[in-house]
């Protein structure tokens, strides 16, 4: 179910009730009045990907967002799961952006995940691994 809650200029804000049993409701801005979804690599897009279980794509988009919040502008289409994560995590801003977006996304799959738990899990992340290692890390949290 989706309903337009308001329209400002040519941007519609859509309230989507994805699964009423899980009470997963989110707001996402669209790019135009034709109701195209959120931009790839945005917090909204990453959250939806996590909720849908597209963890591989969610991790790729998360690293794209992290890189663009750091000193490295990445091209989303060139990011691969075999890439070393270090090329996208270039400074504190990129790490903070990655932590925030992964926590937000993982909460869509595991609503009981607290900020305190996340901070403990964050210390165990595969920072010297590949993006695939981060996918495995995310699955391990979802499966807990």
């Amino acid at each position: 179910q989706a309903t337009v809650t308001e329209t400002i200029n040519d941007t519609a804000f859509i309230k989507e009730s994805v699964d009423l049993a899980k009470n997963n409701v989110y707001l996402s801005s669209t790019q135009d009045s034709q109701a195209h979804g959120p931009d790839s690599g945005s917090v909204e897009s990453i959250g939806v990907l996590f909720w849908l279980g597209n963890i591989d794509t969610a991790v790729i988009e998360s690293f794209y967002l992290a890189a663009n919040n750091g000193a490295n502008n990445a091209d989303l289409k060139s990011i691969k799961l075999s890439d070393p994560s270090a090329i996208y995590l270039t400074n504190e801003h990129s790490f903070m952006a990655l932590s925030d977006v992964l926590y937000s996304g993982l909460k869509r799959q595991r609503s009981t995940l607290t900020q305190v738990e996340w901070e403990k899990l964050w210390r165990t992340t595969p920072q010297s691994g590949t993006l695939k290692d981060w996918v495995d890390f995310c699955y391990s949290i979802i499966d807990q």
Side-chain angles (χ1 to χ4, degrees):
Q1 283 182 353
T3 56
V4 175
T5 58
E6 69 180 291
T7 304
I8 300 172
N9 296 330
D10 284 335
T11 301
F13 292 88
I14 297 177
K15 180 177 182 180
E16 295 186 36
S17 178
V18 180
D19 183 342
L20 294 176
K22 288 185 170 182
N23 294 323
N24 286 329
V25 177
Y26 60 91
L27 297 176
S28 80
S29 61
T30 61
Q31 298 310 302
D32 56 28
S33 58
Q34 286 79 35
H36 295 144
D39 284 342
S40 295
S42 68
V43 174
E44 295 87 1
S45 174
I46 295 164
V48 170
L49 290 167
F50 269 105
W51 191 86
L52 293 172
N54 296 336
I55 309 305
D56 290 6
T57 306
V59 167
I60 287 171
E61 288 195 18
S62 296
F63 274 86
Y64 170 76
L65 182 140
N68 288 322
N69 274 277
N72 181 9
N73 286 330
D75 176 19
L76 182 60
K77 293 176 183 165
S78 68
I79 298 174
K80 307 287 184 254
L81 290 176
S82 58
D83 291 347
S85 60
I87 63 176
Y88 303 107
L89 301 174
T90 56
N91 62 26
E92 185 178 344
H93 295 290
S94 59
F95 276 98
M96 288 174 30
L98 182 66
S99 176
D100 289 348
V101 75
L102 287 179
Y103 173 66
S104 176
L106 286 164
K107 276 198 66 78
R108 300 234 180 207
Q109 281 287 330
R110 203 177 128 212
S111 61
T112 60
L113 182 64
T114 67
Q115 183 67 39
V116 172
E117 289 175 309
W118 174 246
E119 288 170 8
K120 288 178 186 173
L121 291 166
W122 181 251
R123 289 190 285 268
T124 67
T125 58
Q127 294 180 16
S128 62
T130 65
L131 272 60
K132 176 66 171 119
D133 295 327
W134 285 82
V135 169
D136 296 341
F137 170 76
C138 290
Y139 274 118
S140 73
I141 293 170
I142 292 168
D143 292 340
Q144 287 182 356

